[in-house]
Amino acid sequence: MANAYQTVNFHFRVNFDLDSSGSEIGFQSVTGLDSTIETESIKEGGENGFTHKAPLRRSHTSLVLKRGLISPSQSKITSWLQDAFNNETVEPRQQVMVVLLDEESNPLMHWTLTNVWPISWKMGELNAEQGAVMIETLELNYNKLSFDDY
């Protein structure tokens, strides 16, 4: 084994398909990269000791992204969110990729999410007593999640 160390979770990027070059947006945190297989219980006639479980379909929680607030003129993601929440024009992104990077910023592995669209857009607290960065939280729905290494 060349590298037996576990991977760190703080060096990553998120790519949206907003233009031909792809957009990389710096996010503070990403959660919701998970899949669950729904099951159905099946009772077998004459067998009272257990029930069988059969797999049905995958389901996913929402993808939650947090970052410092960026104005719409500087961010295509913010413009995309404005279209959805101000103009009620929801345009799903065909693909969003979350890429985990090593210490030299080389890709280690990635998660690909398909048919991504916004569910909620929340702004952090306005507080005159703190000098903190204004954080926005994006909650996104997606239909499929795949995970691969490079």
Side-chain angles (χ1 to χ4, degrees):
M1 287 177 84
N3 185 1
Y5 296 106
Q6 296 177 344
T7 308
V8 296
N9 68 348
F10 60 84
H11 196 183
F12 60 90
R13 71 175 181 240
V14 180
N15 297 339
F16 283 78
D17 68 334
L18 289 170
D19 55 32
S20 60
S21 64
S23 300
E24 294 183 16
I25 308 296
F27 286 92
Q28 174 183 336
S29 70
V30 175
T31 59
L33 296 172
D34 57 71
S35 292
T36 303
I37 297 178
E38 297 173 8
T39 61
E40 177 182 24
S41 294
I42 301 170
K43 296 178 182 177
E44 182 179 355
E47 176 58 64
N48 295 326
F50 63 91
T51 59
H52 299 280
K53 288 210 181 252
L56 293 177
R57 66 188 64 83
R58 289 190 306 174
S59 64
H60 310 285
T61 60
S62 299
L63 181 70
V64 179
L65 307 171
K66 293 184 180 184
R67 70 174 183 175
L69 182 64
I70 300 173
S71 73
S73 64
Q74 297 175 327
S75 169
K76 291 186 178 187
I77 296 293
T78 306
S79 296
W80 177 62
L81 293 167
Q82 270 190 319
D83 282 343
F85 291 101
N86 292 351
N87 305 329
E88 299 179 11
T89 305
V90 177
E91 184 181 333
R93 307 292 4 127
Q94 292 307 309
Q95 188 175 62
V96 172
M97 189 177 290
V98 178
V99 183
L100 186 62
L101 307 170
D102 67 11
E103 58 276 355
E104 280 110 32
S105 297
N106 297 316
L108 290 172
M109 54 191 72
H110 67 278
W111 294 264
T112 303
L113 302 92
T114 56
N115 196 34
V116 180
W117 51 273
I119 297 172
S120 103
W121 187 21
K122 301 174 188 170
M123 298 302 147
E125 176 185 12
L126 297 171
N127 188 334
E129 295 177 346
Q130 297 178 354
V133 173
M134 177 73 154
I135 300 295
E136 67 178 336
T137 302
L138 320 176
E139 184 178 351
L140 308 173
N141 183 69
Y142 60 95
N143 288 352
K144 186 177 178 184
L145 174 69
S146 61
F147 168 71
D148 292 301
D149 60 357
Y150 275 91

